[in-house]
Amino acid sequence: MSEADEPVGADDSLPEDVEAVRRALVEWYEADHREFPWRRTEDPYEILVSEVMSQQTQLSRVVAAWEAFLERWPTTADLAAADRADVVGFWSDHSLGYNNRAKYLHEAAGQIEDEFGGEFPREPDELSELMGVGPYTANAVASFAFNNGDAVVDTNVKRVLYRAFDVPDDDDAFERVAADLMPEGESRVWNNAIMELGGVACEKTPECDGAACPWREWCHAYETGDFTAPDVPTQPAFEGSRRQFRGRIVRTLGEHDELALDELGPRIRVDYAPEGEYGREWLQGLLSDLADDGIVRTSESDGEVVVRLR
C-alpha cells in the first residue's frame, strides 16, 4: 500500500480506534464549552474580525471590543467606507495590539468590496489573498464560516497532540497527525473543539480531571505524568506518574469514607482493568507506598480490599 493510500488513522502516533477519539472530543465540546459570540455566527466578516482581534489579546477582553467594532462597522462595506484613522483609533483605544492589524483589516474590507463584489471567498487559498490574512487566519475563517477548512495547528493544538499522542516536536508531524484526526467535512466543530481542549483542559498547567478531558483514556502524558510540551519546557507539579497517581488517590479518598479497590481504580485511571497492566496489582503498589507514609490504610470486608485515609 502506498503512503497516499494508507487509511486515516494509520499514523503510528494515533490510537487504533480513531473514531472513538474523535467522538469523545466532539461530545465533550458539544456538552459544554466557553461561550464566545463569534462561535454563534457563520458570518465570515464577523469571524475575520474576531480572529484578527484575538491574535494578541485575551479572548475575555476581545468580546466587548468585537461587539463594539461590529456595532460601528457591521459589514465589510461599512468598514471599507470608514476613515482608516477612525479604525486605527478604535484599535488603539481598545488595546488590541499592533495598529497595522487595523490597517490590514480595513484594507481587506476594501478588497472584499472591490475585488470580490462584496462576497467573501470560501477557500483558504483565496482568503489568504486578503491583506493581513495569513494561512492560519484564512483557514480559521474557512473552517468557522464555511465548514471548509483544514485542521488548525496552532500552539495550543501542538501542545495537545504532543502530550496526548506523543507526537514529535516537528511541524510536519503535527500537520500530518492533525489532518488524520479531523473528520472529513467537519472542520467547524472539530477545530473549535480541539482548540477548546487546549484552552481549558490542556493548558501549560493541565486540568485533566478538573476539565474532564475526553482524551485521558488515550493520553500519553496522563499515563506517564510527563506534561512537558514544546511550549512547556519544565514539569509542572508532579515529576512522574507514580507521584501523580498517589495524589489522585488521596484526593479521591478525601471525597469518600472508603472505597473497594475496584471502585477506586477507575476513579484514578480511566483505563483501569482489575486484571490488566493497570489493575489491582498496580493500584496496590501505589497504596503500599501511601500506607508506608501513614496516609492510607487497607482492610478486608466481605472478601474485598477496602481503602480509606488514615
Side-chain angles (χ1 to χ4, degrees):
M1 179 183 293
S2 70
E3 184 174 317
D5 293 330
E6 288 185 357
V8 172
D11 192 291
D12 291 340
S13 299
L14 295 177
E16 291 185 7
D17 193 352
V18 177
E19 283 302 321
V21 174
R22 291 169 176 158
R23 186 167 56 251
L25 177 60
V26 172
E27 289 177 354
W28 172 84
Y29 174 76
E30 291 182 336
D32 185 30
H33 58 260
R34 293 172 297 177
E35 283 291 336
F36 297 116
W38 47 85
R39 284 180 169 171
R40 299 193 294 268
T41 181
E42 296 177 12
D43 185 311
Y45 170 60
E46 295 180 355
I47 291 169
L48 176 61
V49 173
S50 75
E51 289 294 328
V52 175
M53 285 186 173
S54 301
Q55 288 174 12
Q56 206 180 26
T57 308
Q58 291 181 339
L59 294 181
S60 58
R61 290 178 47 224
V62 169
V63 174
W66 181 82
E67 292 173 340
F69 190 95
L70 292 175
E71 182 176 355
R72 188 165 181 179
W73 300 295
T75 67
T76 52
D78 294 316
L79 183 58
D83 188 304
R84 181 168 297 180
D86 291 338
V87 180
V88 172
F90 178 98
W91 211 261
S92 179
D93 290 343
H94 288 77
S95 302
L96 291 168
Y98 297 120
N99 288 342
N100 61 355
R101 293 194 176 118
K103 297 177 184 178
Y104 292 152
L105 189 56
H106 181 260
E107 181 69 22
Q111 287 179 270
I112 293 293
E113 293 303 309
D114 298 338
E115 299 174 23
F116 294 93
E119 296 291 331
F120 259 79
R122 301 174 65 91
E123 302 293 333
D125 288 347
E126 291 181 317
L127 286 159
S128 292
E129 296 177 13
L130 299 176
M131 183 64 69
V133 176
Y136 174 84
T137 301
N139 188 52
V141 174
S143 294
F144 304 139
F146 305 115
N147 199 28
N148 191 38
D150 300 317
V152 164
V153 182
D154 65 0
T155 299
N156 286 344
V157 171
K158 288 179 181 179
R159 187 190 318 122
V160 169
L161 298 180
Y162 183 94
R163 284 174 172 168
F165 307 119
D166 201 22
V167 177
D169 185 8
D170 174 81
D171 285 348
D172 288 341
F174 287 129
E175 294 281 352
R176 184 181 66 252
V177 174
D180 281 353
L181 266 175
M182 189 181 79
E184 185 176 356
E186 295 185 30
S187 61
R188 178 182 292 125
V189 67
W190 181 261
N191 286 331
N192 267 319
I194 197 167
M195 289 194 295
E196 183 78 355
L197 188 66
V200 303
C202 201
E203 298 179 280
K204 290 186 177 182
T205 300
E207 292 289 342
C208 313
D209 297 318
C213 173
W215 282 355
R216 287 171 292 178
E217 178 179 345
W218 303 280
C219 181
H220 178 264
Y222 193 77
E223 177 182 352
T224 64
D226 180 2
F227 287 96
T228 53
D231 61 334
V232 188
T234 57
Q235 289 272 30
F238 294 103
E239 292 295 330
S241 59
R242 290 185 69 83
R243 285 187 61 201
Q244 183 185 38
F245 289 120
R246 288 201 301 267
R248 289 181 189 164
I249 289 171
V250 173
R251 289 195 302 272
T252 301
L253 291 177
E255 299 172 0
H256 301 271
D257 291 335
E258 62 180 30
L259 287 171
L261 277 186
D262 291 345
E263 294 176 320
L264 175 62
R267 291 175 165 87
I268 305 306
R269 287 190 67 112
V270 293
D271 58 347
Y272 175 86
E275 305 301 328
E277 179 181 1
Y278 299 106
R280 292 173 187 145
E281 184 176 347
W282 168 81
L283 182 55
Q284 285 176 320
L286 297 175
L287 293 170
S288 178
D289 292 344
L290 291 169
D292 290 343
D293 291 337
I295 297 173
V296 306
R297 61 189 176 95
T298 60
S299 60
E300 284 199 13
S301 176
D302 297 327
E304 287 189 310
V305 175
V306 175
V307 190
R308 59 176 63 84
L309 291 178
R310 296 185 74 93

